[in-house]
Amino acid sequence: MEPDPANLIDQSRTYGARGVHGRVVEHIGNRIVGGELAEGEMLPKEAELMAELQASRTTIREAIKVLAAKGLVETRQKRGTLVRPKSDWNLLDPDVLAWLVAGDPDPEITRLMIELRRLIEPGAARMAAARHDKAQLTALAAALDDMRTTDVGCYYAADRAFHRALFAATGNPFIDRLGSIVDAVLAVSFGLQSRSLIPAEQGFALHARVYERIAARDAAGAGQAMLSIINDSQAALDRSIEAMGRLAA
């Protein structure tokens, strides 16, 4: 059965549509990122948002604080709340990423996400091969073993766990933090790929190759194996976007 892309993305998100507060954050965030509320434009007045969203003043104010923390809005005394320029948005926030690809994804956004992965992940794989300890290798092996499943949701959860374990295996806490960025990008990518999934057997084999090269302390081989995963992800995203275009037509 084809997975729901929203479910794949929501696993790493902070808000989504949980409760009135989450619904308000989601509604306003989507309007901003989707372009309905343009850069420099003032948000509707507090009373208008309360009436429109059937929410209390406190809920609206708390939602605005959340959106401000994501870099989407700025509250100015005696003026109200305005939409900040896109250059100020926290594009690596899981919610902002999800809003960016809601509806028809922008091929440029997906290209930039793949570009980020190409920059970060092969290097992390090389470092993990050189530096991992026994416990870190065990964590990688456990995540890989969990990818032996026919459930798509469980497969992608295990896939993401594998990548997080790989970043931890670099032994560098700063690089490990980059793993959370890649995790957010992966969550969005998996949601977009739902119409053109990489076969599980193929995905497992590619990740097994990364594990084998890391276990062998083959840094160059691990980096190349990770690049193969990213290349396959690029191809799956391209197919998915093409399929969405055909459906829209």
Side-chain angles (χ1 to χ4, degrees):
M1 183 173 66
E2 184 179 281
D4 181 350
N7 290 339
L8 293 173
I9 295 172
D10 280 346
Q11 290 172 3
S12 71
R13 293 179 61 190
T14 308
Y15 284 88
R18 291 180 293 177
V20 177
H21 177 60
R23 177 171 55 80
V24 172
V25 171
E26 181 87 354
H27 178 83
I28 301 174
N30 262 313
R31 289 180 66 185
I32 293 170
V33 176
E36 184 182 341
L37 294 168
E39 295 180 16
E41 185 177 343
M42 303 301 295
L43 260 59
K45 294 185 183 301
E46 205 172 72
E48 293 175 31
L49 289 172
M50 289 169 61
E52 177 189 354
L53 300 174
Q54 295 293 294
S56 69
R57 190 179 303 278
T58 299
T59 298
I60 297 297
R61 288 180 177 178
E62 289 301 314
I64 295 301
K65 287 180 182 178
V66 170
L67 295 167
K70 296 176 184 295
L72 298 182
V73 299
E74 177 183 355
T75 301
R76 294 185 177 176
Q77 228 173 11
K78 298 182 180 179
R79 285 193 60 193
T81 302
L82 58 81
V83 177
R84 296 176 68 179
K86 189 173 182 177
S87 57
D88 293 338
W89 298 354
N90 180 3
L91 297 178
L92 296 173
D93 179 278
D95 295 312
V96 177
L97 272 171
W99 296 330
L100 276 169
V101 298
D104 294 331
D106 182 350
E108 178 66 6
I109 293 294
T110 60
R111 184 189 70 78
L112 293 174
M113 289 194 300
I114 290 292
E115 198 170 75
L116 174 69
R117 293 187 62 191
R118 287 185 192 278
L119 177 68
I120 296 175
E121 290 190 89
R126 290 192 293 269
M127 192 171 289
R131 295 184 176 181
H132 71 267
D133 61 26
K134 184 177 180 181
Q136 290 162 344
L137 190 64
T138 298
L140 267 174
L144 181 65
D145 192 55
D146 286 344
M147 292 177 69
R148 299 177 187 272
T149 175
T150 57
D151 182 278
V152 174
C154 292
Y155 174 88
Y156 277 126
D159 189 331
R160 287 167 60 188
F162 181 91
H163 288 261
R164 290 294 291 116
L166 183 146
F167 276 88
T170 65
N172 184 319
F174 294 100
I175 294 174
D176 186 23
R177 288 296 298 158
L178 295 178
S180 62
I181 294 173
V182 170
D183 185 61
V185 170
L186 285 174
V188 172
S189 297
F190 293 157
L192 292 177
Q193 288 171 212
S194 65
R195 291 180 178 83
S196 186
L197 295 169
I198 297 172
E201 298 82 1
Q202 179 182 340
F204 176 85
L206 288 168
H207 286 74
R209 178 63 178 171
V210 172
Y211 172 80
E212 290 165 2
R213 293 301 88 209
I214 289 175
R217 297 196 181 276
D218 175 6
Q224 188 58 48
M226 179 57 70
L227 190 57
S228 295
I229 289 177
I230 297 169
N231 288 341
D232 266 47
S233 180
Q234 169 82 77
L237 281 168
D238 289 345
R239 290 195 302 271
S240 186
I241 290 170
E242 183 181 346
M244 290 178 191
R246 286 198 301 270
L247 284 173

